[in-house]
C-alpha cells in the first residue's frame, strides 16, 4: 500500500472528524475514503477512529499516531517541494578562465546576496566553448568576449575593459610609466587560446599591427609563466603580480569587449546579468562601450615625403 | 618619487642638456636646469611668427599680401628660398610656413624686415619673457660666424666656437627651455594671438619636417608632435608640443650642447626626443 497517501487521508479525517467533509477536502468520494482508512487500520493493527453513531472520534491509538502521521506527511511534502524547487535552484555560468579571480569571487558573493535561493555554479570556459554550451543547455548564462558570432543568443550590455601590458620586472621597458604598443617590438606575445577566443584574437592582433607591433610569435595559454620568464608579454587589466610589472598602454588601443550571453532569459539569468554588469564595472575596470576612446592618427610631413 | 635621470641620459649621448616640460592642462612641470640662458638658434622664428600674427590680427599687415624675394634678399641656408636661385613671389603666410616647416632663413628675414625686431622684443617683454630676445636676423647670425672665425662654414675648431657671438647668450638670439615651452603654451592656449591665428600657428608647427629630434621620442601614429628645431655649431634643440591620444598636451623644450664639434651627431639629435619622452612619461605618472 501507499502508506504516505493513507497517512494523509488519516490526518485529514482526524482534522475534520467527518468522513463526508474529509472526502470533499480530498476531492474524492466518501466510500473509498472509508475503505482506505479501514485498510490503514488493518495495516497498523489498531483502530484509529470510533465510528459510534453519527460522531467520528479519534481513538487513543489514533491520537497517539496522529502526530507521527502529520510529521511523515509534512516531510514527504517538503521532499517533493525541494525536488521541484531544486530543478531551478542552480544557475550554471560560464566565465572566461582568465577573468580575474577577484572578479569571479565578487560575482559568486554578490549573487549569493541578491538571489539567496539560487546557487551559482561557475565553470571556466572560453568564449567559443561557452557558445556551444549555451546552445546545448550545459550552461544557463555566460560571460563572453566580443566580437562573437552566435545566432539565437541574447546579449547583455557591452562592457569595455582597456588592457595594459604585463611584462617581467627585469624588462627595460618596465622603467617607463606607460608604454606604446610599438614599444613592444621584438617581444613575443602571450594570449588566450585562439580556438577559445577567435574574435578577440583576430581583433587584438589586428590592432597590434595597426599600432606598429607585430609579435614574432604568439603563445597561447592563460598561465603567466612565459611572462615571468621574460619570454613574452601579455595584455591584462591592471594587476599586481609578484615578479611582473603592469604598465598602461598609451592611448588604450587594446580593449576587450565583454557581455553576458544567454539562450533563455529566465529571472535568474536576468538577475545574474544585471549583477555581472555592476560587479565587472566596480571590480574589473570595465566601462560602458561608449566610454572607449576613439583613435586619431597624427599626420607628420615625413610620412608622405 | 624621484625625477627622471636626465643628466645621465644626456651624458651618455655625449651632450650637456637643458630641458623643461609642462602639462598644458594640469600645469605640472619637470625640468633640468630649465632657466639657463641659451642660444635659441632658429627657434626664434616661433616668436617672429607670433608677432607676425599679432600684427595681422591688429590689421597692420595682410598675411595674404605678396612679397617678392630676389636673389639679393637671400640669407644663407640649406632649405627653402635660401637654397633657391630665382626670384620668388609668395604670401606672408606662405613665407611663415617655409620659415617654420623647413627653417627657411630667407623667408624668416623677409618676414622680420616687415614685422621689425623691436616689435618682436616688445611682444616678448609684454608677455613677461625675461630671457627671450631676438637680437640678430638669420642672415646676421650666419654672417657673424664667418666674421668671428675669419673663415666660412664648417666650424669645427673649439677656439673658433669660443669666439662666436652666435653662441654667446648675451649677444645672440636667446631663450631658456622654460620660456620656450611657455611660448608654445601661449600658442596652444590661444593666448599668443587671436584664437584663429593661434589655430593657424598650431597647424604650421605641426608641419615641422624634421623627424630626428622631438618627434623621434614619440614614434607613434597616434601621438602628434609639433615643434621648431634650432641648430648652431654644437647646439641642437627643439621646442614644441606633444599631444597624446587621450588628449594630454605637453609643451617641451630641449636644448643640447655636444662635447664634439662633429656636424653629424645622430645621438645628440635623438636624445632630444628621448629626454622629452622621459619628461612627458614623468608628467603622466
Amino acid at each position: 500500500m501507499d502508506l504516505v497517501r493513507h497517512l494523509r487521508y488519516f490526518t485529514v479525517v482526524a482534522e475534520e472528524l467527518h468522513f463526508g467533509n474529509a472526502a470533499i477536502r480530498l476531492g474524492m468520494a466518501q466510500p473509498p475514503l472509508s475503505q482506505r482508512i479501514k485498510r490503514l487500520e488493518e495495516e497498523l493493527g489498531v483502530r484509529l477512529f470510533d465510528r459510534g453513531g453519527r460522531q467520528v472520534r479519534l481513538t487513543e491509538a489514533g491520537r497517539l499516531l496522529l502526530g507521527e502521521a502529520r510529521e511523515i506527511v509534512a516531510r514527504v511534502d517538503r521532499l517533493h517541494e525541494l525536488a521541484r524547487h531544486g530543478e531551478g535552484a542552480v544557475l550554471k555560468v560560464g566565465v572566461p578562465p582568465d577573468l580575474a579571480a577577484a572578479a569571479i569571487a565578487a560575482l559568486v558573493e554578490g549573487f549569493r546576496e541578491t538571489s539567496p535561493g539560487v546557487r551559482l555554479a561557475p565553470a571556466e570556459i572560453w568564449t567559443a566553448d561557452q557558445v556551444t554550451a549555451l546552445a546545448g543547455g550545459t550552461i544557463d548564462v555566460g560571460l563572453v568576449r566580443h566580437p562573437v558570432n552566435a545566432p539565437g543568443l541574447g546579449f547583455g550590455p557591452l562592457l569595455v575593459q582597456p588592457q595594459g601590458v604585463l611584462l617581467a620586472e627585469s624588462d627595460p621597458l618596465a622603467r617607463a610609466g606607460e608604454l606604446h604598443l610599438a614599444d613592444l617590438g621584438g617581444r613575443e606575445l602571450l594570449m588566450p587560446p585562439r580556438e577559445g577566443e577567435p574574435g578577440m584574437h583576430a581583433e587584438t592582433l589586428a590592432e597590434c599591427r595597426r599600432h606598429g607591433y607585430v609579435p614574432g610569435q604568439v603563445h597561447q595559454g592563460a598561465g603567466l609563466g612565459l611572462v615571468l620568464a621574460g619570454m613574452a608579454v601579455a595584455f591584462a587589466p591592471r594587476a599586481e603580480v609578484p615578479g611582473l610589472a603592469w604598465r598602461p598602454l598609451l592611448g588604450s588601443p587594446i580593449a576587450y569587449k565583454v557581455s553576458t550571453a544567454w539562450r533563455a532569459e529566465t529571472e535568474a539569468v536576468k538577475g545574474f546579468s544585471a549583477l555581472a554588469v555592476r560587479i565587472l564595472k566596480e571590480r574589473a575596470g570595465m566601462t560602458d562601450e561608449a566610454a572607449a576612446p576613439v583613435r586619431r592618427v597624427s599626420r607628420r610631413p615625413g610620412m608622405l615625403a | 618619487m624621484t625625477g627622471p635621470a636626465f643628466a645621465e641620459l644626456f651624458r651618455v649621448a655625449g651632450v650637456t642638456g637643458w630641458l623643461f616640460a609642462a602639462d598644458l592642462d594640469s600645469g605640472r612641470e619637470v625640468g633640468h636646469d630649465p632657466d639657463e640662458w641659451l642660444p635659441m638658434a632658429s627657434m626664434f622664428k616661433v616668436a617672429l611668427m607670433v608677432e607676425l600674427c599679432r600684427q595681422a590680427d591688429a590689421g597692420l599687415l595682410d598675411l595674404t599680401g605678396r612679397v617678392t624675394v630676389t636673389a639679393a634678399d637671400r640669407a644663407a641656408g640649406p632649405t627653402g628660398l635660401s637654397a633657391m636661385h630665382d626670384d620668388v613671389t609668395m604670401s606672408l603666410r606662405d613665407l611663415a610656413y617655409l620659415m617654420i616647416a623647413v627653417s627657411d632663413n630667407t623667408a624668416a628675414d623677409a618676414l622680420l624686415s616687415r614685422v621689425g625686431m623691436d616689435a618682436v622684443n616688445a611682444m616678448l617683454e609684454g608677455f613677461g619673457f625675461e630671457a627671450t630676445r631676438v637680437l640678430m636676423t638669420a642672415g646676421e647670425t650666419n654672417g657673424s660666424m664667418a666674421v668671428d672665425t675669419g673663415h666660412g662654414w664648417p666650424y669645427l675648431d673649439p677656439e673658433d666656437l669660443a669666439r662666436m657671438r652666435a653662441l654667446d647668450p648675451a649677444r645672440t638670439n636667446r631663450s631658456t627651455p622654460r620660456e620656450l615651452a611657455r611660448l608654445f603654451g601661449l600658442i596652444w592656449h590661444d593666448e599668443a594671438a587671436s584664437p584663429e591665428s593661434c589655430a593657424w600657428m598650431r597647424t604650421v608647427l605641426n608641419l615641422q619636417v624634421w623627424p630626428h629630434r622631438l618627434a623621434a621620442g614619440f614614434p607613434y601614429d597616434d601621438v602628434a608632435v609639433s615643434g621648431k628645431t634650432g641648430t648652431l655649431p654644437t647646439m641642437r634643440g627643439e621646442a614644441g608640443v606633444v599631444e597624446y591620444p587621450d588628449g594630454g598636451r605637453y609643451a617641451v623644450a630641449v636644448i643640447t650642447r655636444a662635447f664634439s664639434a662633429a656636424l653629424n651627431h645622430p645621438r645628440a639629435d635623438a636624445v632630444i626626443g628621448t629626454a622629452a619622452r622621459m619628461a612627458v612619461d614623468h608628467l603622466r605618472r
Side-chain angles (χ1 to χ4, degrees):
Chain A
M1 75 182 297
D2 183 347
L3 184 61
V4 176
R5 184 180 320 164
H6 285 74
L7 288 175
R8 187 184 305 279
Y9 298 152
F10 166 48
T11 61
V12 173
V13 175
E15 270 164 39
E16 297 292 330
L17 294 177
H18 190 284
F19 277 90
N21 293 350
I24 289 167
R25 243 181 81 182
L26 288 164
M28 59 197 292
Q30 189 184 330
L33 179 60
S34 299
Q35 215 169 358
R36 285 186 179 151
I37 293 294
K38 222 172 270 167
R39 284 193 56 194
L40 182 62
E41 289 174 328
E42 285 164 19
E43 172 79 21
L44 297 174
V46 289
R47 286 199 53 200
L48 298 168
F49 296 102
D50 274 333
R51 301 175 185 81
R54 300 173 58 181
Q55 265 219 307
V56 178
R57 274 181 311 191
L58 273 170
T59 61
E60 200 53 41
R63 213 185 313 275
L64 202 68
L65 294 176
L66 181 59
E68 279 311 309
R70 279 196 177 129
E71 176 85 358
I72 289 166
V73 170
R75 285 203 166 225
V76 170
D77 283 351
R78 171 129 182 84
L79 186 74
H80 286 298
E81 170 88 2
L82 276 178
R84 243 194 337 273
H85 199 72
E87 191 83 331
V90 176
L91 187 70
K92 288 165 287 175
V93 179
V95 294
D98 59 339
L99 188 67
I104 296 181
L107 275 175
V108 174
E109 168 88 32
F111 195 74
R112 196 176 293 146
E113 273 166 31
T114 53
S115 311
V118 187
R119 190 169 60 85
L120 199 64
E124 296 191 345
I125 321 176
W126 298 112
T127 293
D129 301 321
Q130 284 195 43
V131 170
T132 313
L134 283 167
T138 322
I139 58 173
D140 303 306
V141 60
L143 273 179
V144 297
R145 293 234 170 78
H146 291 254
V148 57
N149 181 27
L153 293 191
F155 297 105
L158 208 57
L159 298 176
V160 171
Q161 185 187 45
Q163 305 289 302
V165 185
L166 277 175
L167 63 171
E169 248 168 15
S170 55
D171 192 313
L173 284 182
R175 286 201 289 267
E178 66 187 334
L179 300 172
H180 193 282
L181 270 180
D183 295 333
L184 301 178
R187 285 166 180 79
E188 299 182 351
L189 179 65
L190 173 69
M191 289 209 40
R194 186 173 41 201
E195 309 82 66
E197 297 290 347
M200 178 184 109
H201 237 264
E203 216 164 67
T204 301
L205 291 177
E207 206 60 32
C208 285
R209 280 195 294 278
R210 216 170 284 151
H211 284 81
Y213 172 43
V214 183
Q217 192 179 341
V218 180
H219 302 276
Q220 302 184 30
L224 292 169
L226 286 178
V227 181
L228 198 58
M231 295 173 69
V233 298
F235 299 127
R238 181 182 293 277
E240 281 187 25
V241 186
L244 300 185
W246 182 89
R247 294 289 178 268
L249 271 175
L250 204 160
S252 306
I254 307 288
Y256 291 164
K257 298 192 269 301
V258 173
S259 84
T260 49
W262 56 79
R263 197 176 59 156
E265 193 178 14
T266 63
E267 283 306 311
V269 166
K270 259 187 217 168
F272 175 83
S273 190
L275 173 79
V277 168
R278 184 167 63 79
I279 297 276
L280 292 175
K281 280 185 184 177
E282 286 171 6
R283 307 291 284 272
M286 299 198 188
T287 55
D288 291 317
E289 192 190 10
V294 176
R295 182 166 187 246
R296 176 196 61 173
V297 176
S298 86
R299 187 190 165 103
R300 298 183 188 180
M303 287 171 185
L304 295 172
Chain B
M1 89 182 260
T2 56
F6 292 120
E8 171 71 6
L9 184 73
F10 287 130
R11 195 184 59 76
V12 170
V15 303
T16 307
W18 299 268
L19 170 148
F20 183 78
D23 184 324
L24 285 177
D25 300 299
S26 77
R28 277 195 74 194
E29 50 183 64
V30 62
H32 181 70
D33 294 339
D35 298 310
E36 181 87 3
W37 285 27
L38 297 162
M40 67 170 154
S42 286
M43 290 182 275
F44 89 88
K45 291 163 186 168
V46 179
L48 171 54
M49 177 168 64
V50 168
E51 179 53 20
L52 175 76
C53 283
R54 293 176 69 84
Q55 292 188 9
D57 289 342
L60 299 177
L61 48 79
D62 175 8
L63 286 179
T64 62
R66 282 163 182 274
V67 176
T68 297
V69 180
T70 65
D73 299 324
R74 289 217 153 79
T79 58
L81 302 186
S82 291
M84 299 179 187
H85 291 288
D86 303 315
D87 290 2
V88 172
T89 300
M90 64 168 70
S91 66
L92 292 180
R93 63 182 178 187
D94 285 348
L95 285 170
Y97 155 71
L98 283 179
M99 163 177 84
I100 297 297
V102 298
S103 206
D104 185 334
N105 285 337
T106 298
D109 284 355
L111 292 171
L112 190 53
S113 70
R114 274 156 189 81
V115 169
M117 202 177 277
D118 291 346
V120 176
N121 287 322
M123 176 276 294
L124 290 168
E125 206 168 339
F127 276 119
F129 289 105
E130 288 176 8
T132 310
R133 291 295 180 269
V134 176
L135 306 175
M136 292 178 168
T137 67
E140 284 165 357
T141 305
N142 280 326
S144 76
M145 291 194 278
V147 170
D148 294 345
T149 61
H151 62 82
W153 190 86
Y155 308 109
L156 302 168
D157 182 346
E159 287 181 13
D160 283 349
L161 299 176
R163 277 195 292 270
M164 284 186 173
R165 278 171 288 161
L167 294 179
D168 177 2
R171 293 180 288 176
T172 191
N173 298 339
R174 62 167 183 258
S175 187
T176 69
R178 186 191 300 273
E179 290 196 355
L180 282 168
R182 191 180 148 229
L183 183 60
F184 273 85
L186 291 174
I187 297 172
W188 256 254
H189 280 135
D190 284 346
E191 290 165 6
S194 70
E196 298 74 30
S197 290
C198 285
W200 174 75
M201 285 192 276
R202 291 193 290 270
T203 311
V204 173
L205 287 162
N206 188 238
L207 290 171
Q208 175 57 242
V209 296
W210 309 126
H212 59 326
R213 292 190 180 162
L214 212 46
F218 306 88
Y220 314 124
D221 288 355
D222 46 5
V223 173
V225 181
S226 309
K228 180 69 198 81
T229 55
T231 312
L232 284 170
T234 68
M235 304 294 300
R236 292 170 179 81
E238 185 162 6
V241 169
V242 180
E243 292 170 279
Y244 270 43
D246 62 1
R249 310 180 297 169
Y250 311 89
V252 190
V254 187
I255 298 179
T256 68
R257 184 173 58 217
F259 303 134
S260 140
L263 302 171
N264 286 292
H265 197 338
R267 284 197 301 147
D269 291 312
V271 76
I272 291 171
T274 314
R277 173 76 200 277
M278 266 171 68
V280 171
D281 192 71
H282 177 75
L283 293 176
R284 288 171 64 85
R285 283 191 191 223

